[in-house]
Amino acid sequence: MQFLANKVCVVTGAARGIGRQIALTLAEQGGSVVINYNASRDAADALGDELQQKGVQSLVVQANVSQMGDAKKLIDAAVEKFSKLDVLVNNAGITRDGLLAIMKPEDWQAVIDTNLSSVFYTTKFASKAMLRNKFGRIINISSVVGLMGNAGQANYAASKAGIIGFTKSVAREFAQRNITANVICPGFIDTDMTRQLNEAQVNAAQAQIPMKRFGSPLDVSNLVAYLASDLAGYVTGQTIAVDGGMSMA
Ligand code: NAP
């Protein structure tokens, strides 16, 4: 049984890493997938081809979601192709790490624009289509860093904590309209983002994780698929960590 048959799903930053696996998992569950990318055109096209070969309807859309006009272009393209939008997964994200004393304002702004303002833009535009459709699932990818903070990531932590407050507000606004909004906080997941860490950093990270290992993109995408499905119709405004126990109180 597929849990997302006939559902139209937009995934931001879907060419690589966690976003790519989210696109694949939603497709396996019967969803049609709009693959957004910013710079990774070849990877996005390859994913689109892979889905097409599997008989999955997909659309590849270039959009820098930190820009409001591009975010609108993405949502408009999805609705134009599929005539509706059921699931929005805000996954696109960047890091520009640095200790606060030397953090450049442009690195603060780039992270806020890409990780947080993008979520405002896409959700704002997508919610119109969801209200028309009388159904919606908004799933925002934050981070355990948004819950716990992290030295050297004040910009990233602020953006990811902002996603949590934003999502709870959206969940309350749309609670009576059959639109849910939830947050997933991954811990350390094996992608390009964590492959930047050196051996000492990996060892220090693993020491903080009760399961003593990094997670996989599939660990995250499985929860996305659940939250996107009808099974999760009474789950809204929640923040759920996928982190091997790292952030538990
Ligand atoms: P990644 O491998 O570095 O991939 C980042 C993705 O975001 C890429 O697909 C990239 O697309 C996209 N992106 C960046 N800026 C964008 C923009 N302006 N517009 C559209 N897309 C943009 O990262 P990841 O590990 O898969 O992370 C995915 C999400 O999970 C992020 O929000 C990240 O903060 C979060 N997260 C990751 C971890 C982890 O351990 N990996 C932990 C917690 C949270 P292009 O390549 O096309 O530019």
Side-chain angles (χ1 to χ4, degrees), residues 150-210:
N150 194 22
Q153 288 197 307
N155 50 359
Y156 186 76
S159 71
K160 294 300 189 178
I163 286 177
I164 296 172
F166 173 83
T167 308
K168 288 181 180 176
S169 303
V170 167
R172 288 183 186 278
E173 275 191 40
F174 295 136
Q176 293 180 71
R177 311 298 286 270
N178 202 25
I179 298 171
T180 67
N182 292 286
V183 178
I184 297 176
C185 290
F188 285 92
I189 305 296
D190 184 21
T191 68
D192 291 344
M193 196 174 264
T194 47
R195 282 178 210 129
Q196 295 168 7
L197 302 174
N198 63 36
E199 199 184 329
Q201 290 170 316
V202 169
N203 290 338
Q206 287 181 347
Q208 301 174 60
I209 305 170

Side-chain angles (χ1 to χ4, degrees), residues 12-20 36-41 44 63-67 90-95 114-115 118 141-145 156 160 163 184-194 196 214 217:
T12 68
R16 300 190 285 121
I18 294 171
R20 181 177 189 281
N36 160 247
Y37 72 96
N38 182 28
S40 299
R41 180 182 183 159
N64 174 353
V65 290
S66 72
Q67 305 292 319
N90 283 306
N91 163 81
I94 59 168
T95 52
T114 305
N115 297 5
S118 65
I141 307 298
S142 172
S143 166
V144 290
V145 170
Y156 186 76
K160 294 300 189 178
I163 286 177
I184 297 176
C185 290
F188 285 92
I189 305 296
D190 184 21
T191 68
D192 291 344
M193 196 174 264
T194 47
Q196 295 168 7
F214 284 9

Side-chain angles (χ1 to χ4, degrees), residues 2-20:
Q2 291 180 313
F3 290 107
L4 298 172
N6 304 317
K7 298 292 189 214
V8 176
C9 312
V10 172
V11 183
T12 68
R16 300 190 285 121
I18 294 171
R20 181 177 189 281

